[in-house]
Amino acid sequence: MCRRVEHVGPHGAGATMKLAVNLPLMVYWQTLGEALSLVEPLGLDPQRVIDILSDSSGGPNMLKVRGGMIAKTLSQQKSDQVTVNVATMRKDMQSMLDLGSAMRKNLPLTALALQKFEAAAQSGLDAKDCSELLVWWLTQGGRA
């Protein structure tokens, strides 16, 4: 699951750390969809786009690991494989917001990303792999 084990505090601290680790990834999924909408008019092969992004400073490890699956999804080569579904991501983001609220911390980007993920879920993506969020954004979610 990970390269190292860290003791971060008393009971419950590990769950807090997990939310903190996943928060940038959740927001990244939204920004990746937005970035793809900017390059969509270029008509590039999705695998090439993902390769370029993953090799850049804008490519987190998640993109390097999941890039192939993302490119296939963008190329309409859908898979029934679900590694992380949209419902789980929405649950985690709501937990992040709840924790932030309890700590009197404002998480505006997380709140905005959650709104978009909820719209995607209402379109039928809740049980789908998170890579489907990108296709949804390009076809429906990113319309002005």
Side-chain angles (χ1 to χ4, degrees):
M1 297 289 298
C2 64
R3 292 181 306 209
R4 61 196 235 194
V5 176
E6 294 283 337
H7 178 76
V8 295
H11 181 72
T16 299
M17 182 56 75
K18 175 207 176 258
L19 292 175
V21 167
N22 285 344
L23 189 147
L25 292 173
M26 300 300 165
V27 175
Y28 181 78
W29 278 101
Q30 177 61 31
T31 60
L32 179 59
E34 293 177 25
L36 291 171
S37 70
L38 293 177
V39 299
E40 184 181 35
L42 300 177
L44 300 172
D45 174 59
Q47 183 63 57
R48 182 174 178 211
V49 172
I50 295 301
D51 286 345
I52 291 169
L53 290 173
S54 67
D55 264 349
S56 75
S57 59
N61 191 53
M62 176 280 298
L63 190 56
K64 292 170 178 65
V65 172
R66 295 182 49 100
M69 183 176 189
I70 292 169
K72 284 181 181 178
T73 301
L74 291 170
S75 296
Q76 305 303 317
Q77 299 173 27
K78 299 187 182 205
S79 168
D80 290 333
Q81 179 184 6
V82 177
T83 56
V84 177
N85 66 28
V86 173
T88 298
M89 295 175 82
R90 290 187 320 105
K91 174 193 66 73
D92 281 358
M93 280 192 281
Q94 187 59 60
S95 295
M96 293 165 190
L97 292 170
D98 293 344
L99 179 61
S101 178
M103 299 172 68
R104 297 180 183 237
K105 303 288 183 185
N106 189 17
L107 307 176
L109 294 176
T110 306
L112 289 171
L114 178 56
Q115 287 176 5
K116 297 303 178 185
F117 284 36
E118 287 174 342
Q122 291 173 3
S123 295
L125 290 185
D126 229 16
K128 301 286 187 180
D129 186 76
C130 54
S131 61
E132 293 287 335
L133 285 165
L134 304 172
V135 173
W136 174 82
W137 183 257
L138 291 171
T139 59
Q140 299 175 48
R143 303 284 180 225

